[in-house]
Amino acid sequence: MDHWDELRMFLAVAEGGTVRAAADALDVNHATIIRGIGRLEDRLETKLFDKPSTGYRLTDAGADVVDLARQMSTASSQLEARIFGRDQSVSGPLRLTLPISFATDLLMPTLAAFRAAYPEIALEIIGSGAVANLGNREADVALRVVVGGKSPPDNLYGTRLGAFHTGYYVHRSLLADGASASAAAWLLGADETVPTTWQPGGGLRMASTPIRFAEMRSQFEAARAGMGITHLPCFLGDADPDLVRVPAGPISHVGDIWLLTHADTRQTKRVRLLCDHIRSAMRGLAGRLAGQGQGEGGNVGAG
């Protein structure tokens, strides 16, 4: 079948459930998706979706096609990876996925230096908490925190770069003599809960209701504004002069940081060059990542 673009659109709708989800996944507009599905249905002379108000639902024929489309998608990704793996040029696209805070607060100088050294490499930086599928070429290189002492999947080639620690931070003014009498709030992420195994020291008085945030950057800025206590990566909290660790607050080893590539693409020259840059930078950042970044006077209770 020569209509691979239409099959990709069909598969994106089948997996996402809506045209909007498919358009977002493929970075095209809604009309392109609708036209592509229409062309595929015309070519196959069958209806692939029912379209109730709640979203697109596969017909029996569509369910048969989706399995074949997934097989074709896997084969296409494998073919691309094999060809990419033989590429020894220092130009062309290269996708790196990593947590947003790693990109914005830890490695941007490294990535800028890489760009300056290899300006013909079209680097795409994907700052996300989602786990990209390297086998499907969603990214070429991944910097990832693997929690709980686990190891990455067997089909990935990985280097452990060090431990990742987190701690609790508060604006230093809330610990100063004569600080505001208002109670500090717990600044929590969507899935976080108020700690029950320890109590903040330093005379901090906590409000009875927490404040929740959809993402970590807002929590960080709220702590910098003196709103209360938040849980942050040590490399982020320790580096800010306005924040200090909460007295009696624990420093936790969350997991390990891994630099990952796929077995089929790890020998690509530009993949190796980027990995070398990141490994070199991370060696110099090991202390910050392990919670050793606050000097005397800043570390007010590592716990």
Side-chain angles (χ1 to χ4, degrees):
M1 181 174 290
D2 59 1
H3 281 213
W4 175 230
D5 283 343
E6 285 80 4
L7 274 171
R8 288 174 63 244
M9 295 176 200
F10 160 77
L11 187 58
V13 174
E15 293 179 338
T18 65
V19 170
R20 177 182 294 277
D24 290 344
L26 299 179
D27 195 23
V28 298
N29 61 46
H30 293 54
T32 299
I33 298 290
I34 293 170
R35 287 196 299 267
I37 297 298
R39 287 194 300 269
L40 185 60
E41 289 182 330
D42 290 344
R43 182 176 177 83
L44 297 177
E45 298 181 349
T46 189
K47 189 178 181 182
L48 299 175
F49 290 105
D50 290 322
K51 305 176 180 75
S53 59
T54 55
Y56 278 47
R57 185 174 60 209
L58 287 166
T59 62
D60 290 342
D64 290 338
V65 173
V66 78
D67 290 335
L68 295 173
R70 286 188 176 123
Q71 292 174 30
M72 291 180 67
S73 178
T74 298
S76 176
S77 296
Q78 291 173 344
L79 177 61
E80 289 179 10
R82 290 289 177 89
I83 294 172
F84 182 75
R86 294 177 178 272
D87 189 347
Q88 297 304 304
S89 67
V90 289
S91 63
L94 181 62
R95 292 185 293 270
L96 166 68
T97 179
L98 71 173
I100 295 172
S101 60
F102 279 38
T104 58
D105 301 296
L106 195 67
L107 285 176
M108 199 56 73
T110 299
L111 300 177
F114 179 82
R115 168 65 180 175
Y118 305 103
E120 298 303 314
I121 294 178
L123 183 61
E124 180 180 351
I125 300 169
I126 308 168
S128 173
V131 177
N133 188 327
L134 301 189
N136 287 346
R137 297 294 314 285
E138 293 177 2
D140 303 309
V141 179
L143 192 64
R144 190 178 295 173
V145 177
V146 179
V147 301
K150 298 178 182 178
S151 297
D154 292 338
N155 66 328
L156 300 183
Y157 181 85
T159 304
R160 181 186 173 277
L161 298 181
F164 179 70
H165 288 73
T166 61
Y168 290 87
Y169 293 84
V170 67
H171 195 284
R172 61 176 63 251
S173 65
L174 296 183
L175 297 177
D177 291 339
S180 171
S182 60
W186 287 105
L187 311 176
L188 304 177
D191 299 320
E192 292 179 329
T193 57
V194 173
T196 58
T197 57
W198 64 278
Q199 292 293 320
L204 282 168
R205 185 168 63 89
M206 301 306 300
S208 59
T209 54
I211 301 173
R212 293 194 177 275
F213 299 86
E215 37 73 41
M216 188 183 68
R217 176 58 58 176
S218 296
Q219 286 178 255
F220 173 64
E221 293 298 339
R224 293 186 72 246
M227 194 179 291
I229 295 174
T230 195
H231 192 216
L232 296 172
C234 287
F235 75 81
L236 184 58
D238 289 347
D240 193 287
D242 291 330
L243 298 180
V244 292
R245 294 182 189 171
V246 175
I251 299 300
S252 302
H253 176 203
V254 175
D256 296 318
I257 301 167
W258 286 78
L259 183 65
L260 302 171
T261 59
H262 193 269
D264 289 336
T265 60
R266 68 185 182 89
Q267 293 300 332
T268 304
K269 187 167 185 177
R270 52 190 183 272
V271 167
R272 289 188 285 111
L273 289 170
L274 179 60
C275 289
D276 288 346
H277 266 68
I278 292 175
R279 275 192 291 266
S280 177
M282 293 294 281
R283 282 195 292 269
L285 296 168
R288 284 182 61 190
L289 291 161
Q292 300 167 9
Q294 283 195 341
E296 257 183 70
N299 188 346
V300 293

